[in-house]
Amino acid sequence: MSEHAVRQVSHESEESDDDQSGERAETPEGRPNEADTSESQTGASVVVRALESAGVETLFGVQGGAIMPVYDALGKSDLRHVTMAHEQAAAHAADAYGIVAGTPGVCLATSGPGATNLVTGLADADMDSDPVVALTGQVPTNFVGNDAFQETDTTGVTAPITKANYFAGDTDTVGDTVGEAFALASEGRPGPTLVDLPKDVTLAETDAGEPTAETPEHYNPQEKPDADAVAEAARTLETADRPLILAGGGVIKGDASPELRAFATGHDIPVATSMPAVGAFPEDHDRSVGMVGMHGTGPANMAVTHCDTLLAVGCRFDDRLTGGVDSFAPEATVIHIDIDPAEISKNVHAEVPVVGDAGATLAEIGEEMNSTPSVDDWREQISDWKEEYPMTYHAPEDGPVKPQFVVEAFDAATADDAIVTTGVGQHQMWAVQFWTFTEPRTWVSSHGLGTMGYGLPAAIGARMAAADDQQVVSFEGDGSFLMTVQELSVAVRENLDITVAVLNNRYIGMVRQWQDAFFDGNRVASEYDWCPDFATLAEAFGANGFTVDHPDEVADTVEAALAYDGPSVVDFHIDPDENVYPMVASGGANGKFALSEDQL
Amino acid sequence: MSGEDSTSQAGMPGPAPDERPHPDGRRNAHGVRIDPEADAEAERRTAVVSALVEHEPGVLSQVSGLFSRRQFNIESLTVGRTTVDGHARITLVVEETDHGIEQARKQLAKLPTVIQVGELDDNAVRAELVLLKVRGDEPDKVHAITEMYEGQTLDAGPRTITVQITGDQRKIDDAIDAFRQFGIIEIARTGQTALARGDTPTTPGEEPGHSTEPTDSGYETEAERGETNRSTTETN
């Protein structure tokens, strides 16, 4: 929309404001008025129709002044709206919904504080390339720029943290704008998009036709890889002695898990994953080496350090994964498949860049390969590493409760397709390390932004997208849980069958671990001994609360919490001194992961 | 598991970091595998990047926001409409390493409002405009220098003379040096704008300039275009 168009709309909207007190504006001559045959159509009802034609069923949001027309139209539709306690949670819920469903999650907020409260959730979705569509109310166009009540420059604020955003200044095209936002959120590399909806635009009547859902003409992500690049990748892999596949979040986003499994087993190449890709390859498969990075497994970090050919798929080489770039996969020829050309050679130089869709490209490279690399020695080396560096922990029988034990207990008590969401901190790392993930879209966590408080709202979003019989377990830390604990009210109101496991050590545990390791144990502002009794708190919200103090109580309580049909919260009083290992020091070499604090 | 050997800091089993084999190879700061003997610092160079964008409010702020967020070192930026309705061209001069320039181009191309991005070679046609306000004590000499640089006098009064010079960056720099003797009061430089020379498109695949929307009468369109031009000029 040009500024010209916006001004025009603002002019028209002043007229339509006047019209509200009198008769509605006449239909422009010569244009069919579909609205005449039924109820009159407003910008807001077109927005809702655009949501319906995009296949949306569930939305997450919070009411407010400037978004009221959209809610009014929503109330007349069959769409399910989940009122959240805070807009940040609406964005996280939409994000988690998008991860589990594979289609964009939708969040709504009003102007000003409503929109700014979405910011953390949108930034989180942006870092993790999750498809989210945010709709925000805005003050009427003739007030925009005047510092009106609850006005914020929402498109300005969210520009750096959205894939695209729009100021929808025109009632006649607002449906197409919402449609475009949907198309862009999921096409190519997914990401969050936002449409800012001025109140006069959603209130005004329009005779616009069916909303379209198209990306801009020049937005054409290259899905089919270049044949020469595919051939070069195949030749490089055929001659590899120590090949390793590094699957990134793009494998999940691109639904490329089947192709990854076929490729890795067909060509006998071990698979490591980044944290967002957990579940893309079954972790109980003998070709799996686990997760690479700061808290990744020993075998994965050894394999990435010693491989001679690294096939990275849909991976952006985040610093938590690479450690120091100078020591990352130092001997490897890197083949990098990504649908986003800007990711290739951004952080780690790719000798063989392949732009394309993850699944299609893997399949093409597989077909192009004439032989499978001989990896007997390499396979033996990897299985040695698996024996040398098992994921384990010390658990004395008389207590205290070990967090890893809690994670394992939940894993054992749930089905393979159970969904795990987490907040951010030590508990998140224990969850990813000690749960055996075998299915894509079952690990829902905040990776790039590292947003504490993500777990509970994500569980709400995941619950909405999951199959009815799929279990949803959220691991939270005491500090992380407190950041969005108010969303328990939503889980109770909606009677959502989710189980929150609070791994409570009365610390901002990861900060405490770093303070002990790098700041001489100066535990400033990381001790949370003022934490509430979470079981009582859960009951105050109307949820089912449990407290666990001893390892003996874990199995039964896990069972009882999972059996409860509704939200339950288990407050696990865990060993407060337990730390997360293995650990690669920030900026350090992956191959030098520490197994205890004295190795840091 | 036994409780005897378990202390809170016991950690995990396995060889310690220094007991493990470590490869000799390494990469540089840009993730490029390097010869450890020859690790030269990547040198910066100046590049002219041309971006064809949709002429919409907010595009310039997206582009400048992208450059500041990603810490690309920007020397100058010019923007203006093209002959195609709804298109504008942003010309950026950046001083970066090859890696930085590549990233700047790719990240720029990712913005949904950016249509095409190209980097211009040394052969490109480049120009900059500068306005110089100097002391008017020696008008004849000022006039002579202005002539020498094929400039124009825009304003001349008893105390100040304002001249306009256009040309490539070196010519502008030289002209500014030459005017310094009179005492420069103020300078306004536009920054470089540029087009590829000859038949080469400035951004890859760029169509020769024309309106994409067919209109009934060229003359009227020109008039309308002039109107739109004024009302939509945005500075953001």
Side-chain angles (χ1 to χ4, degrees), chain A residues 1 4 163 218 305-306 325-326 328-330 332 340-342 344-346 349 388-389 392-394 581-582 591-593 595, chain B residues 1 6 10-17 20-23 25-28 31 33 54 57 99 103 106 110 112 114 231-232:
Chain A
M1 253 138 289
H4 186 64
K163 184 174 171 184
H218 55 263
T305 303
H306 291 272
V325 142
D326 59 343
F328 178 76
D340 180 359
I344 290 175
S345 296
K346 183 183 77 177
H349 179 74
E388 284 173 21
Y389 302 105
T392 184
Y393 57 96
H394 297 277
Y581 290 104
K592 295 195 174 181
F593 51 88
L595 296 165
Chain B
M1 277 163 233
S6 74
M12 305 179 90
R20 303 168 203 153
H22 292 288
R26 63 190 182 103
R27 296 176 182 273
N28 68 12
R33 280 176 71 195
E54 287 178 10
H99 178 263
Q103 261 299 302
K106 284 175 166 178
K110 256 175 85 166
V114 172
S231 62
T232 60

Side-chain angles (χ1 to χ4, degrees), chain A residues 254-276:
Chain A
D255 287 320
S257 195
E259 287 87 348
L260 171 68
R261 291 167 193 221
F263 186 91
T265 50
H267 298 281
D268 201 18
I269 301 175
V271 180
T273 68
S274 71
M275 195 164 80

Side-chain angles (χ1 to χ4, degrees), chain B residues 24-123:
Chain B
D24 298 330
R26 63 190 182 103
R27 296 176 182 273
N28 68 12
H30 294 146
V32 182
R33 280 176 71 195
I34 49 166
D35 173 359
E37 303 300 314
D39 184 17
E41 278 283 296
E43 278 186 25
R44 284 171 185 270
R45 66 179 174 91
T46 301
V48 181
V49 176
S50 185
L52 201 59
V53 302
E54 287 178 10
H55 187 60
E56 291 181 359
V59 175
L60 191 54
S61 99
Q62 282 173 28
V63 170
S64 57
L66 170 75
F67 274 69
S68 70
R69 181 170 92 76
R70 294 196 182 267
Q71 301 279 293
F72 297 134
N73 195 8
I74 192 164
E75 293 290 303
S76 75
L77 183 156
T78 64
V79 58
R81 292 169 65 83
T82 71
T83 53
V84 179
D85 274 352
H87 287 187
R89 185 187 307 284
I90 296 178
T91 309
L92 297 137
V93 181
V94 290
E95 201 189 291
E96 276 294 333
T97 59
D98 280 342
H99 178 263
I101 291 162
E102 183 74 9
Q103 261 299 302
R105 286 175 51 185
K106 284 175 166 178
Q107 294 293 344
L108 202 52
K110 256 175 85 166
L111 295 175
T113 42
V114 172
I115 299 161
Q116 274 292 356
V117 180
E119 187 191 336
L120 294 168
D121 59 23
D122 292 342
N123 192 30

Side-chain angles (χ1 to χ4, degrees), chain A residues 54-259:
Chain A
V56 174
E57 291 170 3
T58 309
L59 315 88
F60 306 88
V62 180
Q63 257 281 26
I67 196 75
M68 278 170 74
V70 177
Y71 272 88
D72 188 58
L74 274 177
K76 296 169 185 163
S77 77
D78 292 332
L79 296 175
R80 179 175 186 183
H81 177 268
V82 181
T83 297
M84 304 298 285
H86 189 285
E87 289 87 351
Q88 179 193 346
H92 290 326
D95 175 294
Y97 185 98
I99 293 170
V100 173
T103 54
V106 184
C107 55
L108 286 95
T110 194
S111 64
T116 56
N117 279 349
L118 287 180
V119 165
T120 301
L122 293 175
D124 189 292
D126 190 53
M127 287 289 265
D128 291 348
S129 306
D130 294 329
V132 171
V133 176
L135 304 176
T136 49
Q138 184 53 279
V139 300
T141 40
N142 55 339
F143 287 165
V144 168
N146 291 353
D147 304 327
F149 176 64
Q150 292 192 328
E151 183 189 357
T152 295
D153 173 12
T154 303
T155 53
V157 167
T158 58
I161 52 165
T162 48
K163 184 174 171 184
N165 70 20
Y166 305 83
F167 179 81
D170 184 347
T171 304
D172 290 339
T173 57
V174 69
D176 299 338
T177 305
V178 172
E180 183 175 315
F182 261 91
L184 267 178
S186 46
E187 196 174 322
R189 177 180 184 168
T193 60
L194 179 143
V195 184
D196 201 27
L197 300 160
K199 194 171 185 179
D200 57 323
V201 170
T202 48
L203 278 176
E205 294 187 348
T206 173
D207 56 1
E210 206 47 42
T212 58
E214 287 164 13
T215 56
E217 197 187 334
H218 55 263
Y219 181 80
N220 293 305
Q222 184 182 336
E223 309 223 335
K224 195 178 158 37
D226 177 72
D228 291 344
V230 167
E232 198 184 346
R235 299 295 89 80
T236 309
L237 282 164
E238 282 164 7
T239 53
D241 292 322
R242 303 185 305 279
L244 180 70
I245 297 172
L246 173 58
V251 174
I252 307 257
K253 313 288 173 210
D255 287 320
S257 195
E259 287 87 348

Side-chain angles (χ1 to χ4, degrees), chain A residues 327-349:
Chain A
S327 51
F328 178 76
E331 306 207 316
T333 300
V334 172
I335 307 167
H336 190 178
I337 302 172
D338 208 295
I339 199 157
D340 180 359
E343 281 309 333
I344 290 175
S345 296
K346 183 183 77 177
N347 294 339
V348 171
H349 179 74

